[in-house]
mmCIF file of all heavy atoms in Angstrom:
data_model
loop_
_atom_site.group_PDB
_atom_site.id
_atom_site.type_symbol
_atom_site.label_atom_id
_atom_site.label_comp_id
_atom_site.label_asym_id
_atom_site.label_seq_id
_atom_site.Cartn_x
_atom_site.Cartn_y
_atom_site.Cartn_z
ATOM 1 N N VAL A 148 -44.798 -47.946 7.093
ATOM 2 C CA VAL A 148 -44.543 -49.261 6.536
ATOM 3 C C VAL A 148 -43.404 -49.151 5.505
ATOM 4 O O VAL A 148 -43.499 -48.301 4.604
ATOM 5 C CB VAL A 148 -45.829 -49.838 5.870
ATOM 6 C CG1 VAL A 148 -45.524 -51.149 5.200
ATOM 7 C CG2 VAL A 148 -46.957 -49.942 6.859
ATOM 8 N N PHE A 149 -42.380 -49.955 5.654
ATOM 9 C CA PHE A 149 -41.273 -49.943 4.719
ATOM 10 C C PHE A 149 -41.454 -51.077 3.743
ATOM 11 O O PHE A 149 -41.559 -52.238 4.134
ATOM 12 C CB PHE A 149 -39.958 -50.119 5.419
ATOM 13 C CG PHE A 149 -39.509 -48.951 6.252
ATOM 14 C CD1 PHE A 149 -40.161 -48.660 7.462
ATOM 15 C CD2 PHE A 149 -38.568 -48.089 5.810
ATOM 16 C CE1 PHE A 149 -39.792 -47.572 8.217
ATOM 17 C CE2 PHE A 149 -38.178 -46.989 6.551
ATOM 18 C CZ PHE A 149 -38.785 -46.714 7.766
ATOM 19 N N VAL A 150 -41.506 -50.772 2.427
ATOM 20 C CA VAL A 150 -41.683 -51.759 1.384
ATOM 21 C C VAL A 150 -40.415 -51.842 0.561
ATOM 22 O O VAL A 150 -39.927 -50.820 0.045
ATOM 23 C CB VAL A 150 -42.881 -51.418 0.462
ATOM 24 C CG1 VAL A 150 -43.078 -52.537 -0.566
ATOM 25 C CG2 VAL A 150 -44.134 -51.222 1.287
ATOM 26 N N SER A 151 -39.831 -53.043 0.423
ATOM 27 C CA SER A 151 -38.676 -53.268 -0.452
ATOM 28 C C SER A 151 -39.187 -53.926 -1.740
ATOM 29 O O SER A 151 -40.096 -54.765 -1.709
ATOM 30 C CB SER A 151 -37.694 -54.237 0.234
ATOM 31 O OG SER A 151 -37.145 -53.584 1.372
ATOM 32 N N PHE A 152 -38.526 -53.558 -2.818
ATOM 33 C CA PHE A 152 -38.886 -54.170 -4.093
ATOM 34 C C PHE A 152 -37.698 -54.043 -5.053
ATOM 35 O O PHE A 152 -36.721 -53.380 -4.738
ATOM 36 C CB PHE A 152 -40.119 -53.485 -4.693
ATOM 37 C CG PHE A 152 -40.005 -51.960 -4.797
ATOM 38 C CD1 PHE A 152 -39.544 -51.334 -5.941
ATOM 39 C CD2 PHE A 152 -40.372 -51.137 -3.751
ATOM 40 C CE1 PHE A 152 -39.433 -49.965 -6.027
ATOM 41 C CE2 PHE A 152 -40.298 -49.769 -3.812
ATOM 42 C CZ PHE A 152 -39.838 -49.189 -4.979
ATOM 43 N N VAL A 153 -37.809 -54.710 -6.175
ATOM 44 C CA VAL A 153 -36.736 -54.642 -7.155
ATOM 45 C C VAL A 153 -37.296 -53.870 -8.369
ATOM 46 O O VAL A 153 -38.374 -54.150 -8.855
ATOM 47 C CB VAL A 153 -36.310 -56.037 -7.616
ATOM 48 C CG1 VAL A 153 -35.311 -55.942 -8.806
ATOM 49 C CG2 VAL A 153 -35.680 -56.802 -6.447
ATOM 50 N N VAL A 154 -36.544 -52.799 -8.778
ATOM 51 C CA VAL A 154 -36.848 -52.167 -10.027
ATOM 52 C C VAL A 154 -36.078 -52.931 -11.080
ATOM 53 O O VAL A 154 -34.812 -52.910 -11.129
ATOM 54 C CB VAL A 154 -36.431 -50.667 -10.022
ATOM 55 C CG1 VAL A 154 -36.725 -50.036 -11.390
ATOM 56 C CG2 VAL A 154 -37.165 -49.897 -8.912
ATOM 57 N N ALA A 155 -36.800 -53.665 -11.908
ATOM 58 C CA ALA A 155 -36.169 -54.558 -12.891
ATOM 59 C C ALA A 155 -35.551 -53.753 -14.038
ATOM 60 O O ALA A 155 -35.791 -52.534 -14.176
ATOM 61 C CB ALA A 155 -37.223 -55.526 -13.456
ATOM 62 N N LYS A 156 -34.745 -54.432 -14.838
ATOM 63 C CA LYS A 156 -34.056 -53.845 -15.984
ATOM 64 C C LYS A 156 -35.051 -53.140 -16.899
ATOM 65 O O LYS A 156 -34.717 -52.135 -17.558
ATOM 66 C CB LYS A 156 -33.385 -54.891 -16.827
ATOM 67 C CG LYS A 156 -32.239 -55.588 -16.116
ATOM 68 C CD LYS A 156 -31.702 -56.687 -17.060
ATOM 69 C CE LYS A 156 -30.717 -57.553 -16.294
ATOM 70 N NZ LYS A 156 -30.189 -58.644 -17.125
ATOM 71 N N ASN A 157 -36.314 -53.650 -16.980
ATOM 72 C CA ASN A 157 -37.310 -53.044 -17.855
ATOM 73 C C ASN A 157 -38.108 -51.967 -17.152
ATOM 74 O O ASN A 157 -39.093 -51.424 -17.717
ATOM 75 C CB ASN A 157 -38.219 -54.151 -18.411
ATOM 76 C CG ASN A 157 -39.022 -54.864 -17.357
ATOM 77 O OD1 ASN A 157 -38.956 -54.507 -16.167
ATOM 78 N ND2 ASN A 157 -39.788 -55.837 -17.726
ATOM 79 N N GLY A 158 -37.809 -51.626 -15.881
ATOM 80 C CA GLY A 158 -38.492 -50.603 -15.156
ATOM 81 C C GLY A 158 -39.708 -51.071 -14.377
ATOM 82 O O GLY A 158 -40.315 -50.287 -13.670
ATOM 83 N N GLU A 159 -40.032 -52.345 -14.478
ATOM 84 C CA GLU A 159 -41.165 -52.898 -13.735
ATOM 85 C C GLU A 159 -40.804 -53.155 -12.260
ATOM 86 O O GLU A 159 -39.643 -53.404 -11.936
ATOM 87 C CB GLU A 159 -41.683 -54.201 -14.365
ATOM 88 C CG GLU A 159 -42.332 -53.975 -15.706
ATOM 89 C CD GLU A 159 -42.834 -55.254 -16.310
ATOM 90 O OE1 GLU A 159 -42.698 -56.326 -15.709
ATOM 91 O OE2 GLU A 159 -43.369 -55.175 -17.437
ATOM 92 N N ILE A 160 -41.848 -53.051 -11.414
ATOM 93 C CA ILE A 160 -41.646 -53.402 -9.987
ATOM 94 C C ILE A 160 -41.870 -54.889 -9.782
ATOM 95 O O ILE A 160 -42.854 -55.437 -10.217
ATOM 96 C CB ILE A 160 -42.760 -52.639 -9.134
ATOM 97 C CG1 ILE A 160 -42.676 -51.120 -9.351
ATOM 98 C CG2 ILE A 160 -42.621 -53.004 -7.660
ATOM 99 C CD1 ILE A 160 -41.513 -50.439 -8.796
ATOM 100 N N ASN A 161 -40.864 -55.515 -9.160
ATOM 101 C CA ASN A 161 -40.914 -56.957 -8.873
ATOM 102 C C ASN A 161 -40.628 -57.235 -7.422
ATOM 103 O O ASN A 161 -39.953 -56.462 -6.770
ATOM 104 C CB ASN A 161 -39.883 -57.728 -9.733
ATOM 105 C CG ASN A 161 -40.189 -57.752 -11.202
ATOM 106 O OD1 ASN A 161 -41.363 -57.700 -11.606
ATOM 107 N ND2 ASN A 161 -39.189 -57.836 -12.022
ATOM 108 N N ASP A 162 -41.081 -58.391 -6.955
ATOM 109 C CA ASP A 162 -40.734 -58.904 -5.627
ATOM 110 C C ASP A 162 -40.942 -57.931 -4.470
ATOM 111 O O ASP A 162 -40.159 -57.847 -3.564
ATOM 112 C CB ASP A 162 -39.255 -59.365 -5.618
ATOM 113 C CG ASP A 162 -38.981 -60.451 -6.651
ATOM 114 O OD1 ASP A 162 -39.919 -61.201 -6.975
ATOM 115 O OD2 ASP A 162 -37.854 -60.552 -7.146
ATOM 116 N N ALA A 163 -42.076 -57.167 -4.526
ATOM 117 C CA ALA A 163 -42.370 -56.232 -3.420
ATOM 118 C C ALA A 163 -42.669 -57.048 -2.163
ATOM 119 O O ALA A 163 -43.378 -58.044 -2.201
ATOM 120 C CB ALA A 163 -43.571 -55.367 -3.802
ATOM 121 N N LYS A 164 -42.059 -56.620 -1.069
ATOM 122 C CA LYS A 164 -42.310 -57.285 0.219
ATOM 123 C C LYS A 164 -42.149 -56.259 1.363
ATOM 124 O O LYS A 164 -41.517 -55.236 1.156
ATOM 125 C CB LYS A 164 -41.403 -58.471 0.409
ATOM 126 C CG LYS A 164 -39.924 -58.222 0.306
ATOM 127 C CD LYS A 164 -39.145 -59.545 0.402
ATOM 128 C CE LYS A 164 -37.689 -59.381 0.088
ATOM 129 N NZ LYS A 164 -37.354 -59.317 -1.299
ATOM 130 N N ILE A 165 -42.724 -56.590 2.481
ATOM 131 C CA ILE A 165 -42.689 -55.706 3.661
ATOM 132 C C ILE A 165 -41.304 -55.870 4.289
ATOM 133 O O ILE A 165 -40.960 -56.991 4.729
ATOM 134 C CB ILE A 165 -43.814 -56.042 4.651
ATOM 135 C CG1 ILE A 165 -45.186 -55.863 3.994
ATOM 136 C CG2 ILE A 165 -43.668 -55.157 5.909
ATOM 137 C CD1 ILE A 165 -45.449 -54.463 3.489
ATOM 138 N N ALA A 166 -40.561 -54.783 4.398
ATOM 139 C CA ALA A 166 -39.281 -54.797 5.076
ATOM 140 C C ALA A 166 -39.504 -54.574 6.588
ATOM 141 O O ALA A 166 -38.851 -55.119 7.426
ATOM 142 C CB ALA A 166 -38.311 -53.746 4.506
ATOM 143 N N ARG A 167 -40.437 -53.645 6.906
ATOM 144 C CA ARG A 167 -40.835 -53.416 8.283
ATOM 145 C C ARG A 167 -42.274 -53.000 8.245
ATOM 146 O O ARG A 167 -42.660 -51.983 7.649
ATOM 147 C CB ARG A 167 -39.971 -52.339 8.907
ATOM 148 C CG ARG A 167 -40.150 -52.274 10.450
ATOM 149 C CD ARG A 167 -39.175 -51.332 11.096
ATOM 150 N NE ARG A 167 -39.759 -50.001 11.148
ATOM 151 C CZ ARG A 167 -39.091 -48.888 11.078
ATOM 152 N NH1 ARG A 167 -37.804 -48.898 10.997
ATOM 153 N NH2 ARG A 167 -39.724 -47.744 11.174
ATOM 154 N N GLY A 168 -43.123 -53.786 8.902
ATOM 155 C CA GLY A 168 -44.535 -53.547 8.876
ATOM 156 C C GLY A 168 -45.078 -52.882 10.111
ATOM 157 O O GLY A 168 -44.361 -52.716 11.109
ATOM 158 N N VAL A 169 -46.369 -52.549 10.086
ATOM 159 C CA VAL A 169 -47.057 -51.924 11.228
ATOM 160 C C VAL A 169 -48.233 -52.817 11.652
ATOM 161 O O VAL A 169 -48.344 -53.188 12.792
ATOM 162 C CB VAL A 169 -47.567 -50.515 10.847
ATOM 163 C CG1 VAL A 169 -48.450 -49.952 11.959
ATOM 164 C CG2 VAL A 169 -46.394 -49.596 10.561
ATOM 165 N N HIS A 170 -49.080 -53.102 10.715
ATOM 166 C CA HIS A 170 -50.333 -53.883 10.973
ATOM 167 C C HIS A 170 -50.697 -54.573 9.646
ATOM 168 O O HIS A 170 -50.487 -53.964 8.572
ATOM 169 C CB HIS A 170 -51.423 -52.893 11.396
ATOM 170 C CG HIS A 170 -52.757 -53.561 11.636
ATOM 171 N ND1 HIS A 170 -53.637 -53.806 10.639
ATOM 172 C CD2 HIS A 170 -53.348 -54.008 12.786
ATOM 173 C CE1 HIS A 170 -54.743 -54.363 11.160
ATOM 174 N NE2 HIS A 170 -54.534 -54.514 12.457
ATOM 175 N N PRO A 171 -51.239 -55.765 9.685
ATOM 176 C CA PRO A 171 -51.524 -56.484 8.408
ATOM 177 C C PRO A 171 -52.317 -55.665 7.403
ATOM 178 O O PRO A 171 -52.047 -55.683 6.212
ATOM 179 C CB PRO A 171 -52.318 -57.711 8.878
ATOM 180 C CG PRO A 171 -51.814 -58.006 10.271
ATOM 181 C CD PRO A 171 -51.537 -56.611 10.873
ATOM 182 N N ALA A 172 -53.311 -54.866 7.868
ATOM 183 C CA ALA A 172 -54.146 -54.092 6.959
ATOM 184 C C ALA A 172 -53.302 -53.010 6.277
ATOM 185 O O ALA A 172 -53.429 -52.764 5.056
ATOM 186 C CB ALA A 172 -55.315 -53.461 7.688
ATOM 187 N N LEU A 173 -52.439 -52.319 7.028
ATOM 188 C CA LEU A 173 -51.595 -51.270 6.463
ATOM 189 C C LEU A 173 -50.532 -51.930 5.568
ATOM 190 O O LEU A 173 -50.212 -51.367 4.509
ATOM 191 C CB LEU A 173 -50.938 -50.432 7.579
ATOM 192 C CG LEU A 173 -51.880 -49.624 8.463
ATOM 193 C CD1 LEU A 173 -51.020 -48.731 9.402
ATOM 194 C CD2 LEU A 173 -52.844 -48.789 7.659
ATOM 195 N N ASN A 174 -49.979 -53.037 5.989
ATOM 196 C CA ASN A 174 -48.952 -53.708 5.201
ATOM 197 C C ASN A 174 -49.499 -54.092 3.808
ATOM 198 O O ASN A 174 -48.859 -53.902 2.801
ATOM 199 C CB ASN A 174 -48.429 -54.951 5.901
ATOM 200 C CG ASN A 174 -47.748 -54.639 7.232
ATOM 201 O OD1 ASN A 174 -47.532 -53.493 7.588
ATOM 202 N ND2 ASN A 174 -47.468 -55.686 7.986
ATOM 203 N N LYS A 175 -50.712 -54.650 3.841
ATOM 204 C CA LYS A 175 -51.375 -55.113 2.580
ATOM 205 C C LYS A 175 -51.618 -53.886 1.654
ATOM 206 O O LYS A 175 -51.370 -53.993 0.461
ATOM 207 C CB LYS A 175 -52.689 -55.799 2.927
ATOM 208 C CG LYS A 175 -53.400 -56.348 1.737
ATOM 209 C CD LYS A 175 -54.666 -57.067 2.164
ATOM 210 C CE LYS A 175 -55.441 -57.536 0.940
ATOM 211 N NZ LYS A 175 -56.748 -58.132 1.292
ATOM 212 N N GLU A 176 -52.069 -52.801 2.238
ATOM 213 C CA GLU A 176 -52.318 -51.588 1.424
ATOM 214 C C GLU A 176 -51.033 -51.032 0.870
ATOM 215 O O GLU A 176 -50.979 -50.609 -0.290
ATOM 216 C CB GLU A 176 -53.089 -50.534 2.238
ATOM 217 C CG GLU A 176 -53.317 -49.202 1.553
ATOM 218 C CD GLU A 176 -54.188 -49.344 0.254
ATOM 219 O OE1 GLU A 176 -54.717 -50.431 -0.045
ATOM 220 O OE2 GLU A 176 -54.309 -48.322 -0.450
ATOM 221 N N ALA A 177 -49.962 -51.026 1.663
ATOM 222 C CA ALA A 177 -48.661 -50.531 1.181
ATOM 223 C C ALA A 177 -48.160 -51.383 -0.010
ATOM 224 O O ALA A 177 -47.693 -50.835 -0.998
ATOM 225 C CB ALA A 177 -47.625 -50.546 2.322
ATOM 226 N N LEU A 178 -48.315 -52.673 0.093
ATOM 227 C CA LEU A 178 -47.927 -53.539 -1.004
ATOM 228 C C LEU A 178 -48.770 -53.312 -2.252
ATOM 229 O O LEU A 178 -48.268 -53.243 -3.377
ATOM 230 C CB LEU A 178 -48.024 -55.045 -0.624
ATOM 231 C CG LEU A 178 -46.900 -55.581 0.234
ATOM 232 C CD1 LEU A 178 -47.216 -57.011 0.685
ATOM 233 C CD2 LEU A 178 -45.577 -55.543 -0.468
#
């Protein structure tokens, strides 16, 4: 599962989303 996200200026993870998924259960766990 490929997860895309933004590392913000303050170092926090924002806007995580599935770039390429496998199965809803795995996608949800990856997020």
Side-chain angles (χ1 to χ4, degrees):
V148 177
F149 289 76
V150 183
S151 294
F152 53 92
V153 174
V154 178
K156 295 175 189 180
N157 63 3
E159 290 180 1
I160 303 289
N161 290 331
D162 301 333
K164 55 185 172 279
I165 300 298
R167 193 172 89 211
V169 172
H170 178 275
L173 296 185
N174 298 351
K175 182 179 176 186
E176 177 61 7
L178 282 174

